[in-house]
Each structure stands twice: as C-alpha cells, then as structure tokens.
Amino acid sequence: MASAMAQGWQQHAGGPGAGPMTSDAAPATRGGRRRRTGPAEGPRRARRGAGRGTRRRRWPWWAELPVMVVVGLLVALTIKTCLFQVFTIPSGSMENTLRIGDRVAVNKLSPLFGWEPAPGEPVVFKDPGDWLPAQPVSTTNPVAGAVGGVLSFVGLVPPKDDNYLVKRVIATGGQTVQCSGTTLTVDGAPVSEPYLYPGDDSCAGLDFGPVTVPAGHVWVEGDHRSDSADSRYHQREPGGGAVPVSNVVGPVAAVAWPLSHLDWFGWSGH
C-alpha cells in the first residue's frame, strides 16, 4: 500500500512516473493564474509583424515635389478655364475704377450659365482689330520665356502675347447710343455715370451719334472718358466701333491685386 501511494505521489508531482507535458499545458502566471496559449497565438503575432513590415513608406521630398507642382498647375488651369482668369490693367482708361497695374479677376463661369454683357458692367474683351498697338517682342531669355508662357497658359500670370482690353458696357445690340454736350443717352434716356473720372463728363469733348449697336455687339467706353480710345474712336472700322460679344471674355468680378486696392464688383461685374 505504501508503494502504491508513493507511485501516485510521483505521478502527481511530475516525478519519474509522470507522463510528458503536452502543448495544452499552460505555464503558471502571477497569482497562480494560468495564461492560455495555443496554436492561434503564433499566427496573431505573425500578422502583427507583417502589418508593421508592409506599412506604406513616404516618398522623399524630391520625388513628391514634381507631383505637387503638376497637380497645382492642373488646378490652376481648371480655374482659368472654368472659373477666373487674371488680367493686368495696362493704362489709365478705366481710372479711378481700375488703376494702372491692377490685376483683375474675370469671371469665366458666368457665360456658362447664360450671362450676357449688360449696360454698366466692366468687361474684358479681346482686341476686335487694331485697337491696341503691336505688342513689343519679349527680350527675356528662353528659359524665363518658357516658364512665363506656362504660367500664363495656366492662368497664374496675366497673358502676355494676346491683346485684351477692359472697358465698361454702355449699350448692347439693338440699342441706340448718342452723346451731345455733356450728356450720354441710350435709346433717348440720359445715362447716370457716377463712376466717371473726376473732372470728366460723359462726352469729354467728343460728340457722336446717334449710333445703333449691331446685333451681337456691345458699345464700350472707358471710365476715364478723356483718356480712353474706345468705341467712340473706332466708328469707321468694321462694326462701327462696337465689339462682338464673342470677343468678350467675361465680366470683371474683382480687383485681386494690389492689396491696397482690393475691390469686389460681384459675379456679373455690377
């Protein structure tokens, strides 16, 4: 009997009579509790390690920079094509509303929604034919010229090689405009012009008319009436001084630069 008890004690205590431990046996932990281990723990650790090893690495700055530049240029081109385009005011013909060197933002989205030029709106339009003198040939080096051309194409700087003007619409197709003495009339009604340059009157010494504006055209004049070679000065040319609506880029929405002269004219230029 004593021998049997000794054998049982040896088996219970893991002595020579005890069988080998299997993988199901759990090691003891603090407090006598046992932490379960099993075949699933190994794969979990492997997955965590694999996740750390396959984390996406950031590109170096020299690789990201060209991508950022390309994306920026595409965004600028989209804005120029569909939203706004910037132009520089080259002369004082629209003072004091627009001054020499002002950069104005032209709303190109309005025409897509049916906007048409209306009396009182300042607009930018492409030269309908010899209103501006020939542009000087650029003397910049080829690299600077190429960079400037790209920036101009995407709309980040004003266009250099195309001739654009900015004037205020006075009358539209089918309307009759006339100026006599100091009074401007459209369809016989006097036009109030609070935007005129100080000291100027509506005619500024140049009487004309009556002139009926052809359909699909607009009659334009500068706010600085005595310093503006506008529709009044081109009456002997095709269109009788009027500008085709197809040449109009859009209404001047705002003065975007300089900061000291920021101004907002509204989406349609009013």
Side-chain angles (χ1 to χ4, degrees):
M1 181 175 179
S3 175
M5 291 178 62
Q7 184 177 2
W9 179 85
Q10 288 176 350
Q11 291 179 352
H12 179 73
M21 292 183 63
T22 66
S23 60
D24 290 334
T29 60
R30 186 185 305 176
R33 296 183 180 178
R34 297 179 179 273
R35 181 169 61 87
R36 294 188 59 188
T37 60
E41 185 170 351
R44 280 200 300 270
R45 291 177 178 174
R47 285 196 297 270
R48 288 197 295 268
R52 287 192 295 269
T54 58
R55 186 177 301 170
R56 188 177 67 88
R57 298 176 59 186
R58 286 180 57 87
W59 289 4
W61 67 269
W62 49 265
E64 288 184 342
L65 184 59
V67 175
M68 294 172 61
V69 170
V70 171
V71 171
L73 292 176
L74 290 177
V75 170
L77 179 61
T78 301
I79 292 174
K80 171 200 169 183
T81 303
C82 303
L83 299 178
F84 293 96
Q85 186 171 358
V86 176
F87 294 86
T88 298
I89 304 301
S91 72
S93 66
M94 282 294 289
E95 292 176 334
N96 281 327
T97 306
L98 304 173
R99 303 170 186 172
I100 298 175
D102 281 355
R103 293 197 176 189
V104 297
V106 175
N107 182 4
K108 300 184 72 174
L109 189 62
S110 292
L112 300 179
F113 288 89
W115 171 87
E116 294 183 356
E121 296 176 342
V123 297
V124 168
F125 57 93
K126 188 175 179 62
D127 187 348
D130 299 326
W131 281 35
L132 291 174
Q135 298 297 301
V137 178
S138 175
T139 58
T140 58
N141 64 69
V143 175
V147 173
V150 172
L151 296 179
S152 176
F153 175 74
V154 299
L156 292 178
V157 299
K160 298 180 180 297
D161 300 327
D162 295 322
N163 296 335
Y164 291 89
L165 301 94
V166 57
K167 306 291 181 187
R168 191 178 297 270
V169 176
I170 302 299
T172 58
Q175 293 184 314
T176 299
V177 59
Q178 182 177 6
C179 207
S180 179
T182 61
T183 303
L184 175 71
T185 62
V186 174
D187 291 339
V191 178
S192 175
E193 300 191 282
Y195 42 74
L196 287 176
Y197 184 79
D200 275 5
D201 58 58
S202 293
C203 299
L206 181 61
D207 293 0
F208 67 91
V211 175
T212 299
V213 182
H217 290 66
V218 290
W219 185 271
V220 295
E221 298 183 14
D223 290 356
H224 193 170
R225 205 61 46 90
S226 61
D227 190 29
S228 177
D230 43 42
S231 291
R232 300 170 297 159
Y233 287 86
H234 298 278
Q235 296 183 54
R236 296 184 179 181
E237 299 175 10
V243 176
V245 173
S246 59
N247 282 39
V248 177
V249 179
V252 176
V255 176
W257 187 264
L259 297 178
S260 60
H261 193 213
L262 293 180
D263 203 354
W264 172 253
F265 300 108
W267 290 99
S268 61
H270 282 294

